[in-house]
Amino acid sequence: MSPPGRPWLRRWLPAALSTLLALKASLCGHVSGSRPNFLLLMADDVGIGDIGCYGNDTIRTPNIDRLAEDGLILTQHLAAASVCTPSRAAFLTGRYPVRSGMVSSNGSRVLQWTAVSGGLPTNETTFAKILKDRGYATGLIGKWHLGLNCKSSHDHCHHPLNHGFDYFYGMPFSMMGDCAFWELSEKRVGLERRLSLCFQILVLAGLTLTAGKLSHLLVVSWTPVIWSTIGAMLLLTASRFVGTLIVHADCFVMRNHTITEQPMHFERTTALFLEEASSFLKRNKHRPFLLFVSFLHAHTPLMTTESFLGKSLHGLYGDNVEEMDWMVGQILGTLDREGLADRTLVYFTSDHGGSLESQIGNHQYGGWNGRYKGGKGMGGWEGGIRVPGIFRWPGVLPAGRVIHEPTSLMDVFPTVVQLGGGQLPQDRVIDGRDLLPILLGTARHSEHEFLLHYCETHLHAEQQCGKSTT
């Protein structure tokens, strides 16, 4: 019964409720009855403070900002690790990397060589594998860094095509400073120093034996002198060529199972990656698809095309981020031109926080993590795990929303699987939670009770979620 003096309420309330229920039913029916395409964009080593829509007003990212304006932003989006390999394993499988064995306990926190036998276990299930079984075309363009081979150089047991992707074009390893003989070196400089030390030891041993023999203080043959000399020359040669060996061993591009560039030609990598992404979208526009574009930007050595060099206010790093934003715009432009935008769920993120330690003198070659302390590789600080999280699905997800609930890269797995009509694996624990309710606004809180943060196999922190979050 309406209150006295308010007859309008009795007339309008039933109509308003009916309209709201009809809208909700229509929205739910649209989501449940459709299978969207998926375009997943992941930056490499880009900090949450490097993007305009997250507060940066000096690095220009108009395309990513426009994506956020047309979609929604997650402000508490978290990676499962502060380095590449475990974070990406968690993203693809929806599981903490400690569950899949994609962590170490000896300090080697990421895969160190393409040729190592480790990688994402073959019994792990990625969202690409599930969607492929549901009829999706699945592609990966860019960085993999989750292993290649097991027992031989050709078995490709950890290859993307063995983890649910129909098509792969990119680096099976990772971009790194050693690919360009940078002073910021991941392993070349260390290997050169060790080889040089061994060379000096053998030279000293050879000189000592020679002096002892010539002075008759030592009764030895010339054999150890000769062998120490040969060993020293081999070590000297190896120290001079170890950088070239690394470039050929790790810095190459594959198309599916075939190597197409070894070593890479960096001046054309950006154009080739964009061409591959565009080609994938065009040839699969008449069927459901999932395309994972895993950028090489903005990992050192910050390979940037000439048209973007010197254009930002933040040196080479800013140039590289602005080029990546331009690449995002080119890919989104292809979606628009092919009439795919309204049928495609687009997601943008980074694999972990920016690298604060990428410095040479006073020059910073890593990202900025906003107000959060720490960065890449720092498991105990938030800056290493806070990442951008942007979703856009025109006509389904409300534009302009900002969500402050704690969410994880692992949540993409169940979200994509269920929207794609797949079923979550029942034979293992899935740590991710479906994001759709909070993206649609039908739920106020994340389904996570807490999120765990590891450094290698060691638990460093726990974050409470849901109603306990302040």
Side-chain angles (χ1 to χ4, degrees):
M1 180 180 293
S2 61
R6 295 186 181 177
W8 58 270
L9 187 60
R10 181 169 52 192
R11 293 196 304 270
W12 289 103
L13 184 58
L17 288 174
S18 299
T19 302
L20 287 173
L21 289 171
L23 286 172
K24 182 177 180 181
S26 174
L27 179 60
C28 292
H30 179 69
V31 173
S32 62
S34 64
R35 292 206 302 162
N37 304 312
F38 299 97
L39 174 60
L40 311 178
L41 308 170
M42 177 176 281
D44 195 3
D45 287 17
V46 170
I48 193 171
D50 293 326
I51 308 299
C53 56
Y54 281 90
N56 193 306
D57 57 4
T58 54
I59 295 181
R60 293 166 295 186
T61 56
N63 296 293
I64 298 173
D65 297 344
R66 193 175 306 114
L67 185 68
E69 291 172 5
D70 296 339
L72 50 83
I73 297 177
L74 304 175
T75 63
Q76 308 291 321
H77 205 38
L78 305 170
S82 60
V83 288
C84 303
T85 297
S87 173
R88 291 166 180 268
F91 171 70
L92 285 166
T93 64
R95 290 155 50 83
Y96 288 112
V98 71
R99 296 192 190 276
S100 61
M102 294 302 288
V103 294
S104 71
S105 57
N106 61 4
S108 298
R109 300 171 61 188
V110 299
L111 292 176
Q112 299 293 314
W113 297 85
T114 307
V116 298
S117 60
L120 187 64
T122 54
N123 63 351
E124 285 294 324
T125 301
T126 67
F127 52 66
K129 187 176 293 185
I130 295 175
L131 263 61
K132 180 180 179 180
D133 291 341
R134 297 295 300 168
Y136 273 75
T138 54
L140 168 58
I141 310 295
K143 171 177 173 174
W144 176 239
H145 207 184
L146 291 172
L148 185 58
N149 302 310
C150 289
K151 297 181 179 179
S152 74
S153 61
H154 300 290
D155 63 23
H156 291 181
C157 69
H158 300 304
H159 192 282
L161 267 60
N162 209 34
H163 281 292
F165 290 99
D166 290 323
Y167 184 76
F168 170 63
Y169 182 85
M171 291 187 73
F173 192 57
S174 170
M175 182 62 78
M176 55 182 179
D178 290 333
C179 291
F181 294 90
W182 253 40
E183 185 178 343
L184 285 174
S185 168
E186 290 82 3
K187 52 195 178 188
R188 173 182 53 82
V189 170
L191 286 171
E192 287 175 346
R193 287 172 179 168
R194 286 194 287 273
L195 289 170
S196 179
L197 177 61
C198 293
F199 164 75
Q200 293 172 34
I201 292 173
L202 283 180
V203 168
L204 180 60
L207 291 175
T208 301
L209 290 172
T210 300
K213 183 173 180 62
L214 293 177
S215 63
H216 304 290
L217 294 176
L218 295 174
V219 181
V220 295
S221 68
W222 286 107
T223 301
V225 176
I226 294 172
W227 280 112
S228 62
T229 302
I230 293 173
M233 295 304 296
L234 289 174
L235 287 170
L236 180 62
T237 303
S239 68
R240 295 293 185 268
F241 289 97
V242 67
T244 302
L245 172 64
I246 290 172
V247 168
H248 280 78
D250 290 332
C251 308
F252 61 90
V253 173
M254 298 182 75
R255 176 180 285 108
N256 295 330
H257 293 291
T258 303
I259 295 176
T260 59
E261 287 186 357
Q262 188 178 29
M264 297 170 62
H265 303 290
F266 297 118
E267 67 278 3
R268 63 185 191 182
T269 299
T270 293
L272 287 174
F273 279 23
L274 285 175
E275 181 181 329
E276 290 289 338
S278 176
S279 176
F280 181 91
L281 294 173
K282 290 177 180 178
R283 68 176 178 266
N284 292 293
K285 65 181 180 180
H286 296 301
R287 59 179 295 193
F289 64 79
L290 178 145
L291 176 59
F292 177 24
V293 179
S294 179
F295 295 102
L296 304 182
H297 299 61
H299 198 293
T300 55
L302 304 174
M303 302 307 299
T304 308
T305 56
E306 187 175 352
S307 58
F308 284 90
L309 289 175
K311 298 299 177 65
S312 80
L313 300 176
H314 290 271
L316 185 57
Y317 180 82
D319 297 344
N320 199 247
V321 172
E322 291 188 359
E323 180 176 56
M324 179 197 67
D325 175 79
W326 172 77
M327 294 175 72
V328 169
Q330 295 298 301
I331 297 170
L332 295 179
T334 300
L335 279 185
D336 291 335
R337 288 190 296 274
E338 299 300 324
L340 296 168
D342 290 343
R343 294 185 282 127
T344 303
L345 174 64
V346 181
Y347 168 69
F348 175 83
T349 191
S350 179
D351 57 352
H352 49 69
S355 179
L356 302 183
E357 297 176 329
S358 294
Q359 291 183 318
I360 301 177
N362 294 325
H363 296 282
Q364 175 69 26
Y365 294 101
W368 181 51
N369 299 309
R371 62 180 179 173
Y372 301 108
K373 189 174 184 179
K376 176 183 179 180
M378 302 180 189
W381 302 110
E382 287 188 84
I385 56 174
R386 295 276 179 170
V387 293
I390 302 171
F391 283 89
R392 188 193 76 178
W393 187 3
V396 178
L397 299 183
R401 286 188 65 217
V402 179
I403 298 174
H404 300 293
E405 276 295 296
T407 55
S408 170
L409 291 185
M410 297 184 294
D411 297 338
V412 173
F413 178 93
T415 306
V416 166
V417 166
Q418 294 181 167
L419 280 173
Q423 297 293 323
L424 296 180
Q426 300 300 308
D427 61 345
R428 65 199 65 196
V429 175
I430 300 298
D431 298 298
R433 297 293 182 265
D434 186 3
L435 287 171
L436 194 59
I438 63 171
L439 296 182
L440 290 172
T442 59
R444 293 181 57 195
H445 299 289
S446 165
E447 293 183 14
H448 289 287
E449 295 181 21
F450 51 81
L451 287 167
L452 303 177
H453 306 298
Y454 289 86
C455 182
E456 295 188 319
T457 57
H458 306 289
L459 181 62
H460 275 215
E462 172 194 332
Q463 178 169 357
Q464 291 185 334
C465 304
K467 295 181 180 180
S468 60
T469 304
T470 58

